Amino acid sequence: MILELEEVKDKISNYHCILFSIFYHDIIYKATSKDNEEKSAELAKTRLEKLNIPSEKITRIYNQILATKSHKKSKDSDTNFLLDADLAILGQDWEMYENYTQQIRKEYSIYPDFMYKPGRKKVLTHFLEFDEIFKTDYFKEKYEVNARLNIQRELSKK
């Protein structure tokens, strides 16, 4: 994610907040849990308070982490860059994307195919239902077309 954002660093108003958000956004992750983002945001808040980070920055980081749950467009452009970097894998070449899908399957290996496949299909369909998967012009131009092709290709194999 950091490498993806390096190219647009000058368009991000608070790069340090984005770095904290990247670090903490998946710090708590359990495949069976539905509140990973909330727990990650809470942990970030607690730790950043101990570092005496200003409260307005902590709130910003907290909200950015929560935004990674739904990936809906934000009024805050920094949050949109974070969300796009988080989804950049979707627009990579097929080989890299397919490797990513295999890693996701391993992550959810506790679920048998009859449970995993409908859940994965739901997630992928959710992204295709967005008018635009990517929120910023930079990431739209770079990845939108390929992301949709990758997702459709994966869905055709389900």
Side-chain angles (χ1 to χ4, degrees):
M1 288 176 70
I2 293 170
L3 290 175
E4 288 289 347
L5 291 173
E6 268 304 305
E7 297 179 42
V8 290
K9 195 175 184 179
D10 60 322
K11 293 176 172 43
I12 296 170
S13 64
N14 197 318
Y15 194 68
H16 291 102
C17 283
I18 290 275
L19 292 176
F20 278 121
S21 296
I22 290 169
F23 180 78
Y24 281 105
H25 88 283
D26 276 339
I27 199 158
I28 295 178
Y29 189 85
K30 188 175 177 186
T32 57
S33 179
K34 294 189 184 287
D35 64 351
N36 291 317
E37 293 82 2
E38 291 85 353
K39 288 179 178 176
S40 293
E42 284 298 325
L43 181 61
K45 182 177 182 248
T46 301
R47 289 186 177 172
L48 296 173
E49 285 171 347
K50 288 179 182 174
L51 294 173
N52 295 317
I53 303 293
S55 63
E56 66 276 357
K57 288 185 179 183
I58 293 173
T59 299
R60 183 178 199 144
I61 294 161
Y62 185 93
N63 290 332
Q64 286 175 342
I65 294 168
L66 291 180
T68 64
K69 186 168 190 160
S70 66
H71 285 92
K72 290 184 180 164
K73 189 166 186 168
S74 173
K75 292 178 183 175
D76 177 65
S77 67
D78 284 5
T79 299
N80 289 329
F81 278 112
L82 173 73
L83 297 175
D84 284 356
D86 193 32
L87 296 180
I89 187 65
L90 300 177
Q92 302 299 322
D93 64 63
W94 176 251
E95 187 178 321
M96 188 178 278
Y97 179 87
E98 191 172 37
N99 185 6
Y100 154 77
T101 65
Q102 291 165 2
Q103 291 171 355
I104 294 290
R105 184 62 185 111
K106 283 180 190 171
E107 219 174 282
Y108 288 87
S109 62
I110 59 167
Y111 296 108
D113 280 348
F114 78 89
M115 291 176 73
Y116 173 77
K117 286 183 177 184
R120 181 72 180 154
K121 184 178 181 179
K122 182 178 177 184
V123 168
L124 296 173
T125 303
H126 170 73
F127 287 123
L128 289 179
E129 287 171 350
F130 286 147
D131 289 335
E132 297 170 321
I133 295 170
F134 296 95
K135 285 89 181 121
T136 63
D137 290 340
Y138 173 80
F139 281 95
K140 258 184 266 187
E141 290 170 21
K142 188 172 182 182
Y143 292 128
E144 185 77 26
V145 171
N146 213 41
R148 289 185 179 279
L149 291 172
N150 285 338
I151 292 169
Q152 288 164 348
R153 187 171 176 183
E154 182 182 354
L155 282 169
S156 72
K157 293 181 172 199
K158 297 276 179 235

